[in-house]
Amino acid sequence: MHPRLAGLAFLPRRLMAMLLPVALLALPLPAVATPAANDLPVEDIQTFAEVFERIKRAYVEEVDDSTLLRNAMRGMLSELDPHSAYLDREEFQSLRESTEGEFGGVGIEVGMQDGQLTVITPIDETPASRAGLQSRDVILRIDDTPTDRLSLQEAVNLMRGEPGTEISLTIMRQGEDSPRTFTMTREVIRTESVRSELLEPGYGYLRVSQFQTRTGDQVRSAIGSLERDAPLNGLVLDLRNNPGGVLQAAVAVADVFLDSGLIVYTEGRLPDTEMRFSASAETAAADVPLVVLINAGSASAAEIVAGALQDQRRGVVMGTESFGKGSVQQIMPLGNGEGLKLTTALYFTPGGRSIQAQGIEPDVEVVRGRVEVTESGRQVREADLEGHLRSRDEPRTRSELAERLREDYQLGEALNLLKALNVLSQRDR
């Protein structure tokens, strides 16, 4: 036996058979110097085997080898970061369904923060958004199940279910002393990623709720519809509570407003994880004054767009600091029908800023109805408002628009800023 494998000889035959192929892979090749960092940690494997055997012998209930090994793989991935995970067949299928954009649930994007199941954002026009769930809400229980010992995927599986069935989420909200419970009815979640309308003649509103495969084309089409009767004097791009989505869709949306320059790049350990995406010369709205709205629910692909437009000085970013999810996950199928979701790279803005755990800071900070950056530095207005907007097919009257802007102070400030930019541009001509 190779001297590096001698330390494994004490293992039970069953476990030795499972670990031996891995150990052999770590042996140095002839005439090739293998760095010490790549050596198989025999002592750690011995400890793993000891823990494995003690569980088999002494745990209160009998556990089969397959369950123990899968639990070990889950732990191995979940301890890397909140987004890496081992996916069994059911979880792998569930992820495919959500990627395709239709599933039964309540419509929230969730993640793990400080070991707690946390709402990243509710998706527009879903039971979660109508019930009033907010970004940063901590989910304590799903029906009668505490979430403190659930993995992220287990929690997602519990929240999904047959449309028409009820679910209760107990949450703790920042600034509140006691939990509150939201009871909702599951629906088939079909996400429409783009909505648009005119706020006033010449001033458009474009809402992107998440980034799907066709979002870039839909944004171009929406801008064309807004400009059908007259050119736009300004546009609000609303990325609030946008949990992200397809990287290529984010690049396509940023490209709508940029005619040159870098949009985003990624860095990882492997050559195929290092990518750079740049804008094309063809653009739908290169000169329209632009305000981009973000908040704590703007994550991942939404942060890519906001960061690119900010670094390229293409628009003014307004709102509150974004979520800070700047990592790239690859879905890797395994031969047994299961899979891995593994973080393989990080996103960087054109200026070299890492989004991961940093987020995008707005140029003008407007917090829940309070404008934070003003010439005098004083507080202008305070309100406590829900951020979700619903477009209407019928034209808005002046009173309806005024009421909407009173309800959504951030949107009102964005419109005011666009008007100011338009006045300044006319003076410079």
Side-chain angles (χ1 to χ4, degrees):
M1 179 177 290
H2 192 283
R4 287 192 54 219
L5 301 183
L8 302 181
F10 81 99
L11 297 178
R13 291 182 180 178
R14 177 183 63 253
L15 196 54
M16 183 69 173
M18 291 185 285
L19 294 178
L20 187 57
V22 179
L24 290 172
L25 288 175
L27 292 178
L29 296 175
V32 177
T34 304
N38 292 335
D39 287 350
L40 192 69
V42 175
E43 289 185 2
D44 290 335
I45 289 183
Q46 290 174 341
T47 302
F48 173 82
E50 184 177 357
V51 171
F52 186 96
E53 285 303 308
R54 290 195 179 189
I55 293 173
K56 288 289 293 181
R57 288 198 309 265
Y59 186 64
V60 65
E61 296 177 355
E62 187 175 347
V63 187
D64 63 81
D65 293 347
S66 178
T67 298
L68 284 177
L69 288 171
R70 274 172 169 73
N71 288 344
M73 289 184 284
R74 289 181 188 279
M76 183 164 51
L77 284 151
S78 66
E79 288 298 315
L80 295 175
D81 65 78
H83 308 291
S84 296
Y86 184 89
L87 308 173
D88 63 23
R89 291 175 184 268
E90 183 180 344
E91 292 164 343
F92 194 45
Q93 178 63 27
S94 176
L95 182 63
R96 291 179 58 187
E97 290 174 358
S98 63
T99 303
E100 291 166 2
E102 182 174 312
F103 53 90
V106 296
I108 50 174
E109 184 81 10
V110 294
M112 287 292 185
Q113 280 194 302
D114 300 324
Q116 296 178 307
L117 184 65
T118 304
V119 176
I120 296 176
T121 185
I123 299 172
D124 287 354
E125 305 299 330
T126 62
S129 66
R130 293 192 292 268
L133 267 71
Q134 298 179 8
S135 176
R136 308 287 183 180
D137 284 347
V138 175
I139 302 175
L140 303 178
R141 301 177 72 89
I142 302 171
D143 290 324
D144 296 325
T145 304
T147 61
D148 55 348
R149 298 187 64 182
L150 296 178
S151 69
L152 178 60
Q153 192 60 48
E154 287 171 337
V156 170
N157 290 344
L158 279 179
M159 287 187 287
R160 290 186 179 175
E162 288 296 320
T165 58
E166 281 197 347
I167 180 175
S168 294
L169 300 183
T170 303
I171 67 99
M172 177 62 74
R173 181 164 293 168
Q174 290 181 355
E176 297 186 358
D177 297 328
S178 58
R180 60 168 74 183
T181 299
F182 294 84
T183 299
M184 294 159 283
T185 301
R186 294 182 179 91
E187 297 179 0
V188 174
I189 306 300
R190 297 186 181 95
T191 54
E192 296 294 334
S193 64
V194 178
R195 292 187 289 116
S196 63
E197 62 180 311
L198 285 175
L199 297 172
E200 291 185 2
Y203 293 94
Y205 172 79
L206 186 62
R207 165 67 179 161
V208 180
S209 60
Q210 66 180 124
F211 290 91
Q212 300 173 342
T213 305
R214 297 188 60 253
T215 298
D217 292 337
Q218 292 170 353
V219 166
R220 289 178 181 273
S221 176
I223 291 174
S225 297
L226 292 172
E227 292 183 317
R228 184 176 296 127
D229 297 327
L232 289 173
N233 297 320
L235 181 67
V236 178
L237 175 61
D238 190 353
L239 300 179
R240 292 174 296 178
N241 293 335
N242 181 319
V246 179
L247 169 61
Q248 285 76 8
V251 171
V253 170
D255 196 16
V256 169
F257 304 100
L258 298 170
D259 54 15
S260 64
L262 189 63
I263 292 174
V264 66
Y265 66 95
T266 66
E267 290 185 353
R269 291 176 58 204
L270 301 178
D272 63 355
T273 62
E274 296 187 357
M275 300 177 288
R276 297 174 69 87
F277 298 89
S278 298
S280 62
E282 181 183 354
T283 181
D287 301 320
V288 177
L290 183 66
V291 172
V292 184
L293 287 178
I294 62 172
N295 65 2
S298 306
S300 190
E303 295 173 292
I304 289 173
V305 174
L309 297 177
Q310 188 179 55
D311 280 8
Q312 296 273 28
R313 300 185 182 278
R314 174 60 186 85
V316 177
V317 178
M318 177 181 283
T320 58
E321 186 177 355
S322 64
F323 186 79
K325 183 194 177 289
S327 58
V328 183
Q329 282 74 46
Q330 287 189 11
I331 307 303
M332 302 176 177
L334 300 176
N336 60 359
E338 300 178 345
L340 300 182
K341 183 172 68 168
L342 188 65
T343 299
T344 56
L346 296 177
Y347 294 122
F348 293 85
T349 71
R353 293 181 293 161
S354 174
I355 295 171
Q356 180 62 25
Q358 301 295 321
I360 301 297
E361 292 188 7
D363 301 308
V364 180
E365 188 173 14
V366 181
V367 183
R368 296 180 64 85
R370 181 175 69 253
V371 62
E372 292 288 330
V373 179
T374 63
E375 208 168 285
S376 64
R378 65 181 177 84
Q379 177 175 308
V380 176
R381 183 182 176 186
E382 179 69 38
D384 187 13
L385 308 168
E386 301 298 331
H388 291 87
L389 309 172
R390 299 188 182 186
S391 62
R392 302 180 183 177
D393 294 332
E394 68 274 10
R396 293 184 181 275
T397 65
R398 186 174 296 274
S399 62
E400 287 175 333
L401 176 62
E403 177 63 24
R404 174 174 179 182
L405 298 182
R406 277 196 299 270
E407 291 178 352
D408 190 342
Y409 188 71
Q410 290 176 326
L411 179 58
E413 287 299 304
L415 180 58
N416 289 337
L417 180 56
L418 283 174
K419 291 179 178 178
L421 292 173
N422 191 38
V423 169
L424 291 174
S425 66
Q426 290 178 352
R427 287 178 180 177
D428 291 339
R429 292 174 185 171

